[in-house]
Amino acid sequence: MVNIGDVARAAGVARSTASYALSGKRAISDEVRLRVQQAAAELGYTPNAGARALATSRSNVIGLLAQFLPDEFAPAMLQYIQGVANTARDLGYDILLSSDPDGPAALKRLTDSRMVDGVVLLNVAEDDERLPVLRTAPQPGALVGLPGDCTGVDVFDLDFEEAGRAMVEHLVDLGHRDLVLVSQPAHVVERGGAYVWRLQNAAIEAAAQRGVRLRPVHGSSSQPDIGRDLHAILDAHPEATGLLLNNEAAAAALPTVMHDRSLSAPGDLSVVGRYSDEFARTFSLPFSSIESAPDRLGRMAVRQLVRRIEHQIPGDAPHVVRFVAPELVDRGSTAPPRRR
Amino acid sequence: MVNIGDVARAAGVARSTASYALSGKRAISDEVRLRVQQAAAELGYTPNAGARALATSRSNVIGLLAQFLPDEFAPAMLQYIQGVANTARDLGYDILLSSDPDGPAALKRLTDSRMVDGVVLLNVAEDDERLPVLRTAPQPGALVGLPGDCTGVDVFDLDFEEAGRAMVEHLVDLGHRDLVLVSQPAHVVERGGAYVWRLQNAAIEAAAQRGVRLRPVHGSSSQPDIGRDLHAILDAHPEATGLLLNNEAAAAALPTVMHDRSLSAPGDLSVVGRYSDEFARTFSLPFSSIESAPDRLGRMAVRQLVRRIEHQIPGDAPHVVRFVAPELVDRGSTAPPRRR
DNA sequence: CTGAAAGCGCTTACAG
DNA sequence: CTGAAAGCGCTTACAG
């Protein structure tokens, strides 16, 4: 493989001069710079990543810790990964993807080995075991998802409280007084999936304030179980006129379930979900929803991370906790309830 | 950060001895080995990845080139990525995920910089522009997908010819004589998506041999366009009793379309698709299908790649082109055609 | 069985 | 504006 010594020799300069000419880190005469650049191009020179990382203590790689949990709906995960990967590339970073089920160990190895300049954590839990590891690491970290303790990390998430309120308000304003909220499985809550109870508690409170009934229920996070769950839920709550979904699998399964029961939205039931527009297109979902903005969250996380890596913000700059405001995308699945 | 010098000092040995004690690459007295291992554990030593890569010319990283093309159905991609990532981890490799739209440039940078020990290519086209780059690279490469020219690379793919024949045979054996095959958009074919015509040509030939009619049509690869396409296809071919799908988006959309037309399978129409079991579960698909085995293909590709990287097979061992035999997963969506 | 030293390919103070 | 040299943290022949 051609190295910087080959380039230097071809250009007739010292290796240090070649390095500077290529990096632009100090003034080089136009003539020499051009000669070096030309030699590098002709020889097809690409710096050795390991050598550069060793010399600079920088790898230009971002670690992406994404766990494919059996109780998460995989297609929803992909969107975060794409958002992170695309933004990283645009900013000149490669992505090292770790799907290791042992998150803390994987994170420790990635940071201790200096393979990565920073990390993005997905599937963040209330009491995430990766956080203590991350806090002692020299590299900065950005999270997509809100943990209980945000010290030492930058945090980005959808404002699930506001999302819960917005869903309730929207339906109550239309005249609904009997709502059902389908959340993730209880197991996700036990694991510390705070977004479940953040949305749920806010929805319950908003419903109480408006004097309407809201029943929270759990639903499976995979097919075909969730279809069966939805049938049971609709059987159990015939009086409900509004359905709120904080469960992607439920959203994906609902059209079929409604078809089977000859129900249509918003005629028989008003429905509002919480998922991304891309997700809605993938599954052809006809339901209005709170946009969960995975691409935007991934982008925000990477941008902030890169700012810290490149010291574009002072080292002691306070860490941020930033919420994306929920926006309701109207797909026409809500209307005033039918008189009964 | 603690380095091998710190470990050596703590154990009271030379750096080289510490290195050997940890790697086991030469005989070390039990006593010294234990002292070194203990010191490493106590200090929390993790080797610097860049330094090790520089010294050994090995990074223990596999490059995964996956393009998120607008005309590919993203959820289907994820399965290949998971298969590759999980197998790599099991074999002690990290994954560098590149989603760069400029595949050849990304591949050249990854290999020239020695960031990766080998690469796995997804979305392989008939005349894939990344292949010339890969052939000149010193690292081995494994493909998921069959290109026109397989020299110098290991190739793994579903046997799409056999899949096409199997789908036709299955329906013809049941008595069907009028079939429609829904493929990917023409655009995928133009880009060189060989699996489209490999399945289609084999299906056409099998139908001709059996003396039945098979009409090949294209369908969009995204929602909601594909729903509209399917309606148009069913409108145009009322005489068809069997539907073959080589298009994931079409499979995902078909239940809704059939519902809308009050059609059921296999009563009104026999349907057989080509997708993975995991995909079927994600979308609750009720259709029998040829298993596309993305996890298995990802695993095979990584295993072979690692064998080459680690020289477990001779350097001049011939490259392989291995096809996974299609298996029909019966979900009860096919039956003899209704008499008309 | 163990140690001292060279070398991997960069970058960056240090001299001039 | 340019060059010679040190150093990043490993591994691995080379000596003993």
Side-chain angles (χ1 to χ4, degrees), chain A residues 93-160:
Chain A
Y93 285 78
D94 284 305
I95 286 293
L96 201 122
L97 175 68
S98 167
S99 59
D100 198 320
D102 187 349
L107 179 56
K108 178 162 170 46
R109 192 174 57 79
L110 252 45
T111 51
D112 279 2
S113 70
R114 301 298 195 137
M115 291 185 91
V116 300
D117 294 338
V119 296
V120 172
L121 266 50
L122 301 184
N123 318 87
V124 175
E126 171 75 7
D127 188 20
D128 202 298
E129 297 186 329
R130 298 170 296 184
L131 289 183
V133 177
L134 180 52
R135 290 201 185 95
T136 66
Q139 297 98 333
L143 318 191
V144 176
L146 177 67
D149 178 0
C150 293
T151 57
V153 292
D154 291 306
V155 176
F156 302 87
D157 204 1
L158 181 68
D159 187 338
F160 279 92

Side-chain angles (χ1 to χ4, degrees), chain B:
Chain B
M1 220 57 274
V2 34
N3 63 30
I4 199 159
D6 300 325
V7 174
R9 200 175 317 116
V13 298
R15 299 192 320 154
S16 55
T17 303
S19 177
Y20 284 120
L22 258 19
S23 70
K25 286 193 183 171
R26 82 173 178 194
I28 297 280
S29 68
D30 285 2
E31 191 217 325
V32 167
R33 187 165 32 75
L34 247 64
R35 243 177 30 228
V36 170
Q37 287 172 341
Q38 203 170 335
E42 270 170 20
L43 297 174
Y45 169 67
T46 305
N48 180 298
R52 174 175 277 182
L54 182 57
T56 62
S57 298
R58 284 275 310 279
S59 65
N60 279 293
V61 173
I62 288 174
L64 174 57
L65 275 86
Q67 297 170 309
F68 296 106
L69 300 163
D71 57 10
E72 301 269 3
F73 198 56
M77 282 291 303
L78 181 60
Q79 324 227 351
Y80 293 97
I81 296 177
Q82 284 189 259
V84 168
N86 292 337
T87 307
R89 176 163 38 73
D90 291 346
L91 298 177
Y93 286 77
D94 284 304
I95 285 293
L96 203 122
L97 174 70
S98 167
S99 58
D100 198 321
D102 186 348
L107 179 57
K108 181 165 168 40
R109 191 173 58 77
L110 251 45
T111 51
D112 280 2
S113 70
R114 300 298 193 135
M115 289 185 92
V116 300
D117 293 338
V119 296
V120 173
L121 265 50
L122 301 184
N123 318 88
V124 174
E126 171 75 7
D127 188 20
D128 202 298
E129 297 186 329
R130 297 169 298 184
L131 288 183
V133 177
L134 180 52
R135 290 200 186 94
T136 66
Q139 296 98 332
L143 320 190
V144 176
L146 177 68
D149 178 0
C150 294
T151 57
V153 292
D154 292 305
V155 175
F156 303 86
D157 204 2
L158 181 68
D159 187 340
F160 279 93
E161 273 95 2
E162 186 53 35
R165 279 191 291 273
M167 291 164 103
V168 169
E169 298 289 344
H170 177 70
L171 290 175
V172 173
D173 286 348
L174 287 169
H176 293 267
R177 321 218 17 102
D178 249 301
L179 308 175
V180 169
L181 165 62
V182 181
S183 292
Q184 303 281 346
H187 183 244
V188 173
V189 175
E190 289 154 23
R191 205 186 60 226
Y195 68 100
V196 177
W197 67 76
R198 281 163 58 208
L199 188 147
Q200 178 170 312
N201 291 350
I204 288 171
E205 197 178 333
Q209 275 182 3
R210 297 292 296 261
V212 307
R213 213 153 153 198
L214 181 141
R215 291 194 200 69
V217 298
H218 292 289
S220 305
S221 56
S222 66
Q223 313 268 12
D225 295 0
I226 182 62
R228 197 198 51 215
D229 293 348
L230 287 171
H231 276 295
I233 289 165
L234 293 175
D235 285 342
H237 302 291
E239 76 291 352
T241 61
L243 199 56
L244 287 61
L245 307 173
N246 187 23
N247 176 324
E248 274 104 344
L254 188 59
T256 303
V257 169
M258 289 184 66
H259 250 122
D260 289 348
R261 303 174 74 97
S262 302
L263 294 177
S264 71
D268 304 299
L269 198 61
S270 283
V271 179
V272 56
R274 193 272 314 148
Y275 43 76
S276 74
D277 190 60
E278 176 69 25
F279 187 87
R281 265 180 285 133
T282 299
F283 287 86
S284 258
L285 296 186
F287 311 121
S288 299
S289 69
I290 299 286
E291 169 63 46
S292 58
D295 47 349
R296 208 172 137 205
L297 285 164
R299 185 152 34 88
M300 291 167 76
V302 171
R303 282 202 176 145
Q304 175 73 359
L305 187 65
V306 167
R307 265 184 234 118
R308 290 213 183 266
I309 290 172
E310 301 183 351
H311 302 294
Q312 291 169 9
I313 48 181
D316 58 350
H319 290 269
V320 304
V321 178
R322 207 152 282 163
F323 292 110
V324 167
E327 285 184 34
L328 189 86
V329 180
D330 189 350
R331 297 193 185 84
S333 64
T334 60
R338 190 185 291 176
R339 287 269 153 268
R340 13 185 90 241

Side-chain angles (χ1 to χ4, degrees), chain A residues 147-211:
Chain A
D149 178 0
C150 293
T151 57
V153 292
D154 291 306
V155 176
F156 302 87
D157 204 1
L158 181 68
D159 187 338
F160 279 92
E161 273 95 2
E162 185 54 35
R165 280 191 289 272
M167 292 166 104
V168 170
E169 299 287 344
H170 176 70
L171 290 175
V172 173
D173 287 348
L174 286 168
H176 293 267
R177 322 221 14 105
D178 249 301
L179 309 176
V180 169
L181 165 62
V182 181
S183 293
Q184 303 281 347
H187 184 243
V188 174
V189 174
E190 288 153 23
R191 205 185 61 226
Y195 68 100
V196 177
W197 68 75
R198 282 162 59 208
L199 187 147
Q200 179 171 311
N201 290 349
I204 288 172
E205 196 178 336
Q209 275 181 5
R210 297 291 297 260

